[in-house]
Amino acid sequence: MKRYQCIIVGSGIAAMQLANHLSNRFPILLITKSGLRSSNSYRAQGGIAAAIGKNDAPSLHYEDTIHAGCDFHNEKEVLDLVEKGPSLINELTQSGLRFDENPTGQFSLGMEGAHSRNRIVHCGGDATGKHVMDHLMTTLSSHIDVLENRLVYELVIHPLTKKCIGVKLKDDLGNNEVYWSDHVVLATGGVGGLFLFTSNDPSITGDGIALAYQSGAEILDMEFIQFHPTLLYVNGQTAGLISEAVRGEGARLVDAQGNAIMKDVHLLGDLAPRHVVAGELFKQRSMGREVYLDISMINAIEEKFPTITAICQAQGISIEDGKIPVAPGCHFLMGGIAVDTVGRTTVEGLYAIGETAATGVHGANRLASNSLLEGLHYGKKLAAYLNEQMLHSQSEPMKIDLTKRTTITNYSLPDKQQLREKMMAYAGIIRSQLELEQLRAWLNDYDSVGRIDFSLDDSSSEDIQLLFMVQTAKLIAHAALLREESRGAHKREDFPDEDERWRKIHIVQSKKGIEMRVPHREYDQVEVHA
């Protein structure tokens, strides 16, 4: 079996940016569970936030990020992110990617919720993710091997050093494969597939978080999950994202009678932070009221938003009618695998970047269009670190017996649809102690799942993914039950206010147990320059 210097698990923007910046001196393997284009990054309608406008500055981008995330960030990481934003956009431009321009030939900068300036760059209107990802795939070096339709079901941990030294995976026929590496990077996205309503690609089900947890890594702040306010809602189901950029162009959220919903809720109205808008729409719908996005004031909407137009047409919704039925759904995970400033987890040899990592840049609620920026930033940052590490590392052949663990095939599993329904109902937009305890009790009926200490070699890919979903759901339920306040995207009906005592407390989960922790990082000594 071929040995690699680095294995990347995932195919979103963080994974592709990392792959593009790794030195071509070293053999690299990229593995994805489905196709290369089956990622949230490829679906991204919103653009990339960066302070490149004449009346903008990284300091303003910083302030907006902190405000939207309810002051729950690693402030040094936020500052580094926003300061690197303009150069990352310039780097993509220099490599041949064309961003949308206005008639004067300047970047056409859009507005989205909780931003104080127009600072969102787009490609192809609402198809930014597709254009950026296609560009990164085109520029991918030939020294990188790519395996599609492979499910990584176990990280190989050295029994003595406890270092991650490889991965075990299944191909689309169920055959097992093992690949060895000095460095393994998880870039598997978030947890949208755990919820009934979601904007995420169906393949995004929290695999990376479950893999990291089972390997002994620390998992951080899993209660903070952003629900996007506006998913197309048809026949009792959500059917695609309606980008916040539509509201940035002037669209309003209204009820069936045309009354503005957000008018008296927040000073920013329809462009309030996402957790505010999603919470209000949830309240409206829980009272049996339908919610619509009034787009009647937007000229040439088909040209500005071709992806959204196509989604609506596919579901029989007429853009010409001027109203799009919407509902909130799971969109983005702010928590995830605990990492340091370059993406190292608490397990040696294991790294995490992108949405699956808890970098601290999003706080309790991500600012719109900061996610693609995060993927670009940490992909490049980790590549610089790994290039240095691989330059000086001397790999030894692995001699480990992987056959000693017990294989168990009679574990019980829940119904996938039922799991998604319960997660949406009990760990969704508005939570309570009673419902979270009911969810936890239901999940605990599958107690063996939480300890996946047995071998999954003989399990099917479908069973393994469901095992991972249950494990990740438990991490979410535990954290949401413990945080007795409402902050950002975490809203508790029984604790409706922010509590200053919780502002710097992070909930850390690992196989060792659960810990309330105030990080050692310095939050309050950051100098922000205009």
Side-chain angles (χ1 to χ4, degrees):
M1 185 66 69
K2 185 175 181 180
R3 178 180 177 78
Y4 293 88
Q5 286 284 79
C6 180
I7 292 176
I8 305 168
V9 185
S11 60
I13 192 169
M16 287 299 172
Q17 176 80 334
L18 170 63
N20 271 287
H21 282 81
L22 288 173
S23 171
N24 58 15
R25 299 183 186 184
F26 311 112
I28 308 296
L29 174 64
L30 188 146
I31 305 169
T32 184
K33 182 166 71 172
S34 48
L36 278 179
R37 291 171 172 79
S38 297
S39 70
N40 287 342
S41 299
Y42 201 84
R43 287 182 164 214
Q45 295 175 5
I48 306 172
I52 57 178
K54 291 182 179 179
N55 67 339
D56 204 357
S59 61
L60 298 174
H61 191 181
Y62 171 89
E63 291 171 4
D64 291 345
T65 299
I66 296 296
H67 179 70
C70 302
D71 195 19
F72 194 74
H73 306 70
N74 181 327
E75 295 176 5
K76 290 183 177 179
E77 293 299 312
V78 176
L79 187 60
D80 191 31
L81 176 74
V82 299
E83 288 183 339
K84 295 296 194 307
S87 64
L88 289 166
I89 298 301
N90 182 63
E91 182 179 286
L92 286 174
T93 303
Q94 293 298 316
S95 66
L97 181 65
R98 291 292 302 273
F99 289 102
D100 295 345
E101 298 177 349
N102 60 27
T104 65
Q106 303 297 312
F107 287 123
S108 180
L109 300 177
M111 169 67 78
E112 293 187 12
H115 286 272
S116 61
R117 299 288 189 277
N118 287 55
R119 65 166 66 98
I120 318 298
V121 296
H122 295 88
C123 296
D126 59 357
T128 304
K130 176 182 183 300
H131 285 269
V132 173
M133 291 301 295
D134 282 342
H135 176 75
L136 292 177
M137 290 177 196
T138 301
T139 56
L140 202 63
S141 173
S142 60
H143 80 286
I144 297 175
D145 292 340
V146 176
L147 291 177
E148 296 182 88
N149 301 306
R150 302 293 204 281
L151 173 68
V152 174
Y153 67 91
E154 185 180 332
L155 302 176
V156 182
I157 305 297
H158 194 287
L160 299 178
T161 65
K162 302 304 179 184
K163 178 182 179 182
C164 183
I165 55 174
V167 299
K168 298 170 74 173
L169 55 84
K170 290 182 180 288
D171 65 17
D172 52 358
L173 298 177
N175 300 312
N176 298 339
E177 300 173 353
V178 179
Y179 292 90
W180 307 102
S181 179
D182 294 313
H183 308 279
V184 175
V185 182
L186 297 175
T188 54
V191 297
L194 272 64
F195 292 84
L196 185 62
F197 294 167
T198 182
S199 63
N200 286 197
D201 186 273
S203 65
I204 308 300
T205 52
D207 297 354
I209 292 163
L211 283 166
Y213 178 83
Q214 293 303 331
S215 73
E218 292 182 348
I219 310 298
L220 193 67
D221 298 330
M222 289 295 290
E223 69 273 30
F224 291 115
I225 299 171
Q226 183 180 90
F227 290 81
H228 198 288
T230 53
L231 274 61
L232 178 63
Y233 184 74
V234 184
N235 298 324
Q237 296 180 332
T238 52
L241 180 69
I242 307 299
S243 171
E244 195 163 296
V246 180
R247 280 176 281 141
E249 287 287 325
R252 302 181 311 146
L253 290 160
V254 300
D255 60 20
Q257 288 72 45
N259 299 312
I261 290 173
M262 295 301 299
K263 179 180 178 182
D264 299 320
V265 176
H266 193 278
L267 288 174
L268 294 177
D270 295 284
L271 290 176
R274 285 178 177 173
H275 66 282
V276 176
V277 183
E280 185 60 30
L281 297 198
F282 176 82
K283 291 177 185 177
Q284 294 287 327
R285 293 187 55 78
S286 65
M287 292 185 287
R289 301 171 183 170
E290 294 299 319
V291 178
Y292 300 86
L293 193 61
D294 179 1
I295 59 172
S296 59
M297 71 294 296
I298 302 178
N299 297 320
I301 189 168
E302 295 91 344
E303 297 176 13
K304 293 178 180 177
F305 302 104
T307 303
I308 292 170
T309 299
I311 290 173
C312 289
Q313 290 174 343
Q315 297 297 325
I317 301 298
S318 173
I319 291 290
E320 288 75 19
D321 290 345
K323 283 186 179 180
I324 301 175
V326 293
C330 180
H331 188 55
F332 193 88
L333 173 68
M334 278 74 70
I337 305 167
V339 295
D340 69 1
T341 187
V342 298
R344 291 179 296 187
T345 74
T346 53
V347 172
E348 185 183 357
L350 180 65
Y351 308 80
I353 51 175
E355 188 177 350
T356 202
T359 61
V361 297
H362 300 306
N365 186 44
R366 174 175 66 84
L367 180 66
S369 289
N370 269 359
S371 56
L372 294 182
L373 179 65
E374 178 197 22
L376 292 169
H377 175 59
Y378 284 98
K380 183 177 180 181
K381 199 174 188 180
L382 179 56
Y385 175 81
L386 290 179
N387 284 335
E388 184 69 21
Q389 296 299 307
M390 292 188 293
L391 188 63
H392 298 100
S393 63
Q394 294 183 346
S395 302
E396 296 291 336
M398 296 300 173
K399 297 180 180 179
I400 297 175
D401 184 357
L402 299 177
T403 64
K404 292 182 178 180
R405 298 169 68 208
T406 303
T407 299
I408 299 177
T409 57
N410 63 347
Y411 45 79
S412 60
L413 289 170
D415 175 75
K416 183 182 292 187
Q417 182 70 4
Q418 188 179 19
L419 171 63
R420 288 172 168 160
E421 290 174 354
K422 286 187 177 292
M423 287 295 290
M424 194 73 207
Y426 297 155
I429 300 167
I430 306 293
R431 302 159 173 174
S432 70
Q433 179 178 340
L434 177 61
E435 291 180 337
L436 287 167
E437 286 179 341
Q438 290 175 342
L439 174 63
R440 188 171 65 172
W442 183 77
L443 290 168
N444 283 340
D445 286 342
Y446 309 97
D447 190 54
S448 62
V449 175
R451 302 190 306 268
I452 313 175
D453 294 326
F454 48 83
S455 171
L456 297 175
D457 291 346
D458 296 334
S459 298
S460 69
S461 295
E462 292 75 17
D463 280 359
I464 291 169
Q465 290 180 78
L466 192 47
L467 285 164
F468 287 168
M469 290 174 71
V470 173
Q471 176 60 77
T472 305
K474 287 184 176 185
L475 294 170
I476 294 169
H478 290 330
L481 191 54
L482 285 170
R483 182 171 290 277
E484 295 181 338
E485 68 160 349
S486 290
R487 182 176 298 275
H490 172 66
K491 288 188 171 292
R492 287 283 297 266
E493 187 177 43
D494 43 350
F495 295 96
D497 301 318
E498 286 187 10
D499 187 334
E500 182 63 19
R501 294 172 297 179
W502 280 95
R503 188 170 69 91
K504 294 304 182 186
I505 294 178
H506 296 257
I507 298 174
V508 183
Q509 300 183 75
S510 71
K511 297 186 84 171
K512 296 178 182 178
I514 299 177
E515 178 184 350
M516 307 291 196
R517 183 183 300 169
V518 178
H520 297 299
R521 296 164 175 160
E522 293 294 331
Y523 280 81
D524 301 318
Q525 298 178 8
V526 177
E527 294 184 11
V528 183
H529 302 284

